[in-house]
Amino acid sequence: MVVVLAAPLALSAGCWGGGGVDVTVRGDFGKLPEVKFPKGAPGGSLAVETLQEGKGASARKGDLVVADYVGYRWSKDGRKLLASSYAKGQPGAFPTGQLVPGLVKAFEGSRAGSRVVARIPPEDGFGDKGDPKHQVGSDDTLVYVLDVRAVYPRTAGPRGKAEAPVGGPGLPEVAEAPAGQAPVVSVPRSAAPGKLQVRTLVRGDGPAVREGQLLVLQYGGYFWRDGKVFDSSWSAGHPAAAVIGTGQVMKGWDQGLVGQRVGSRVLLVVPPALGYGPKGLAQFGIKGSDTLVFVVDLLGAH
C-alpha cells in the first residue's frame, strides 16, 4: 500500500466479555485501564462484552475503527502485555475486514465512545501457528481492552464547502463521484510540473491537521503519464490511516496535507523527488521518473 496503516499488531484489539468473563477491567474511558487476571488458564471460548456503551456510529465490517487499546497474551503459563497505545498517546487504526476472526466479531456493532473487552482463544486468533513476530504462541489466548474513538465507514467522504473550480492550465481535473467511489481524474497531456502542487477542492469544516497525528483518509493515486489508478482506498474497500508529518509517508503527503482542515478533499501532484524517488515502487508499477497525482479526502485526525 501507498499508505501505511497505523495498526498496533497484525491483529488489533477487541472487546471482553459475556458468558464467563474472568478478567476484571477498571478505569475511565480513554485512560489506561487496570486489568486483573484470575489464577490459572483462560476460558476456551470467545467472550465479548461492552463495559461502557458509546453513543456514536456503530462499526460494521469494512469500516475503519480508531481506538485506544491494550493487549495481552494469556495461557496456563501466565500472561504478558503485548502492546498498548496509551503509553505513546496515539490510537491505533483497525480495518475491520482485515483482522483475526475474533477481532472482527468483537468490533462489529461497537460504537464510538464505547469501552469493550475481548478474550480471543487461539482458534479465533492466530491459530496453530501463532504469531512469532509478536511473541504469540499457538496456545495463547488474546485479551484486549479497546476504547473506540471513532468509526469511519467505507462511504465516508469530504465534509465542507466546494471551492471554485481549480486546476487551470497544466493541472488535473477531478470529477465528482458518488460516496464510496473514487473520483475520475483527467490528467492533461502536457509535461508534469516540477514542484509539488497542492489544491483544496473541498475546504473542510474541521480542525487543521497537525504533525504527528493519525490521519484517517480516503485516497486515490494516479499516474501522470497515463492517468491510470495505481492504488486506492476506495478499491481496497475501507478508509486508510497513517501518521502524518513525521516521515512515515512520502514527503509530498507530509508537506501537502499538514495544515489542511479535516473534511477537506485535496489534490496533490507529487514530483518523483517528493514521492518514491529514483527507485520508484515496483510493487505498484511506479517508476523513478513518475510524477504522481493524488486525490485525498481527510476524514479525521487523532
Side-chain angles (χ1 to χ4, degrees), residues 1-5 64 66 93 152-154 156-157 209 213-220 232-234 238-244 249 253 257 263-264 268 294-302:
M1 281 190 65
V2 172
V3 176
V4 179
L5 276 174
L64 184 83
V66 172
Y152 296 93
R154 67 180 68 188
V209 175
Q213 287 189 304
L214 178 71
L215 183 60
V216 180
L217 44 86
Q218 298 272 33
Y219 72 95
S232 168
S233 65
W234 288 286
H238 59 79
V243 177
I244 198 73
V249 294
W253 279 40
L257 298 181
S264 296
L268 301 174
F294 293 95
V295 177
V296 185
D297 292 348
L298 309 182
L299 307 181
H302 301 270

Side-chain angles (χ1 to χ4, degrees), residues 12 46 55 122 184 230:
S12 291
L46 174 69
K55 297 181 180 180
V184 175
F230 62 84

Side-chain angles (χ1 to χ4, degrees), residues 2 16 94 122 135 141 144 164 184 198 207 220 223 248 265 272 286 299:
V2 172
W16 173 261
F94 302 84
Q135 302 179 352
T141 286
Y144 274 91
V184 175
V198 182
F223 291 115
Q248 297 191 36
R265 167 167 285 185
I286 299 172
L299 307 181

Side-chain angles (χ1 to χ4, degrees), residues 183-203:
V184 175
V185 174
S186 300
V187 178
R189 295 178 177 270
S190 59
K195 296 182 179 180
L196 175 68
Q197 302 293 314
V198 182
R199 298 292 186 274
T200 302
L201 307 180
V202 175
R203 189 166 300 278

Side-chain angles (χ1 to χ4, degrees), residues 15-97:
C15 329
W16 173 261
V21 175
D22 42 7
V23 166
T24 301
V25 179
R26 293 189 176 91
D28 296 330
F29 177 90
K31 296 182 179 180
L32 178 66
E34 178 186 354
V35 183
K36 291 187 176 181
F37 292 81
K39 294 181 179 180
S45 60
L46 174 69
V48 177
E49 183 178 350
T50 300
L51 305 182
Q52 176 179 319
E53 182 71 43
K55 297 181 180 180
S58 59
R60 296 173 294 178
K61 187 174 181 179
D63 293 349
L64 184 83
V65 178
V66 172
D68 293 303
Y69 63 92
V70 61
Y72 301 83
R73 72 180 191 207
W74 184 16
S75 69
K76 57 182 176 57
D77 298 321
R79 76 282 298 168
K80 182 179 179 180
L81 176 68
L82 290 176
S84 171
S85 70
Y86 298 93
K88 60 183 180 181
Q90 188 172 83
F94 302 84
T96 55

